[in-house]
Amino acid sequence: MTATLTRPASVSRRQVKVRRRPDQVRSRLAAWIAVVVIGLFGMLPVYWLVATAFTPDDKAFSFPPSLFPTEITFDHFANLARNEQLFGYLVNSVIVSVVTAVLSVVVSAYMAYAFSKFRYRGRRSLMHLVLASQMFPQALLLVTLYAVFSASGLLGSYAALILSFTTFTLPLCVWMLKGIFDTVPSSLMEAAAIDGASRLRTLHQIALPLAAPGLVAAGLFAFVRAWNDFVFALTLTDPDRQTLPPGLVHTYLGEFQTAWPDLMAASFVVSLPVIAAFMFLQRYLVGGLTAGAVKG
């Protein structure tokens, strides 16, 4: 008889671990390289915007272009501070964006709570209908909205922009908050009902405080959507009520000449409020986006 020799299980596991380590190092290295390359690709337009904003006019159009500016100037930002018309566009953007964010959060909170905690016939069909509204390009609705607002006398006012932006942000806000309300235990609602709390009081004092990160995330999404819009702000309002995106185009883009350094400086300053909002509300934003990922 011949005896067969078998290696101990511990030795085989150790060899497997040794073989796996180089594979793990290579996979992590490849992942980090991909992240760095994608990050550089995404940040290149931002860097070019900032570099052009600090570049003198005679150097901004030099060929071949320089990746790093050889001269720094603050004249474009000084010109921006002296332009009173841009301040009016800024005020319009703040009014439209803030009201849109508040209105979107209020309406979507009630809708999402009704979808999450109430059971009635046609609930799923209504939820799918809200989601299906996101499938249509928003530009297709521009002509219809123009006709509706013109017939109702709202064309050229703040209300036209606010109602349009709220309509576009509601579907995503509703689904985001619906997933967050699903994580709120129904036992809390039942306990509040036993104590005599009405449904509105239960919503305002129990559900909404627990869904605060989601409310912040939905409001920030609606704010950014209204802040960055160009087509609807250009079409549905009068020149004195236009927001910053069309206002910058009217100010710096001409038929025969474009003031690119001034436009880049203005775009950089305009982006600062959104960046500050993301940095200040980052904790709530991440919590709101991930709270509804897993149902409780």
Side-chain angles (χ1 to χ4, degrees):
M1 296 179 61
T2 59
T4 58
L5 297 177
T6 59
R7 295 180 180 179
S10 60
V11 176
S12 61
R13 291 197 203 99
R14 192 178 300 113
Q15 291 178 347
V16 170
K17 288 182 179 180
V18 171
R19 283 195 295 267
R20 283 180 179 177
R21 286 174 184 172
D23 296 337
Q24 292 177 353
V25 171
R26 285 193 293 268
S27 61
R28 290 181 180 179
L29 181 61
W32 275 108
I33 292 175
V35 169
V36 171
V37 171
I38 296 175
L40 292 176
F41 179 79
M43 292 301 297
L44 181 60
V46 180
Y47 168 76
W48 195 258
L49 181 147
V50 176
T52 306
F54 289 96
T55 302
D57 291 332
D58 57 342
K59 301 292 184 181
F61 300 97
S62 61
F63 186 83
S66 177
L67 185 60
F68 302 99
T70 56
E71 297 182 16
I72 301 297
T73 181
F74 294 93
D75 293 341
H76 306 131
F77 294 93
N79 297 335
L80 178 64
R82 290 191 293 266
N83 195 330
E84 297 180 359
Q85 191 176 12
L86 289 180
F87 182 76
Y89 294 141
L90 176 62
V91 173
N92 295 337
S93 290
V94 171
I95 294 174
V96 172
S97 301
V98 171
V99 176
T100 298
V102 173
L103 186 61
S104 298
V105 169
V106 171
V107 177
S108 61
Y110 284 101
M111 292 179 62
Y113 185 78
F115 285 149
S116 176
K117 298 303 179 183
F118 297 156
R119 298 294 181 267
Y120 47 89
R121 181 175 298 178
R123 182 178 69 95
R124 288 189 175 274
S125 299
L126 288 176
M127 290 171 55
H128 294 156
L129 181 63
V130 170
L131 184 62
S133 63
Q134 292 290 90
M135 300 172 59
F136 299 97
Q138 297 175 358
L140 293 178
L141 304 176
L142 182 58
V143 177
T144 303
L145 290 175
Y146 187 93
V148 170
F149 291 139
S150 179
S152 59
L154 296 177
L155 190 64
S157 62
Y158 290 132
L161 282 183
I162 294 171
L163 292 176
S164 300
F165 296 154
T166 303
T167 302
F168 300 146
T169 55
L170 272 180
L172 182 59
C173 292
V174 168
W175 273 85
M176 183 189 306
L177 294 179
K178 192 264 179 186
I180 294 175
F181 283 132
D182 287 343
T183 63
V184 178
S186 299
S187 57
L188 295 178
M189 314 298 174
E190 297 171 358
I194 293 175
D195 292 338
S198 63
R199 290 182 175 178
L200 283 178
R201 185 178 179 183
T202 301
L203 170 63
H204 294 159
Q205 296 187 1
I206 296 178
L208 290 182
L210 294 176
L215 299 177
V216 174
L220 188 57
F221 165 75
F223 179 88
V224 174
R225 172 65 180 82
W227 185 271
N228 293 333
D229 183 85
F230 174 78
V231 176
F232 285 84
L234 179 65
T235 308
L236 300 179
T237 56
D238 293 333
D240 58 339
R241 289 187 175 87
Q242 287 181 348
T243 56
L244 279 168
L248 295 180
V249 172
H250 287 159
T251 303
Y252 296 111
L253 296 184
E255 184 178 358
F256 302 103
Q257 187 178 6
T258 300
W260 287 111
D262 291 327
L263 178 60
M264 295 299 104
S267 301
F268 175 71
V269 174
V270 167
S271 63
L272 291 180
V274 179
I275 296 174
F278 269 99
M279 294 180 63
F280 181 73
L281 301 174
Q282 182 180 9
R283 177 165 57 94
Y284 301 97
L285 179 63
V286 175
L289 293 176
T290 58
V294 180
K295 293 184 179 181

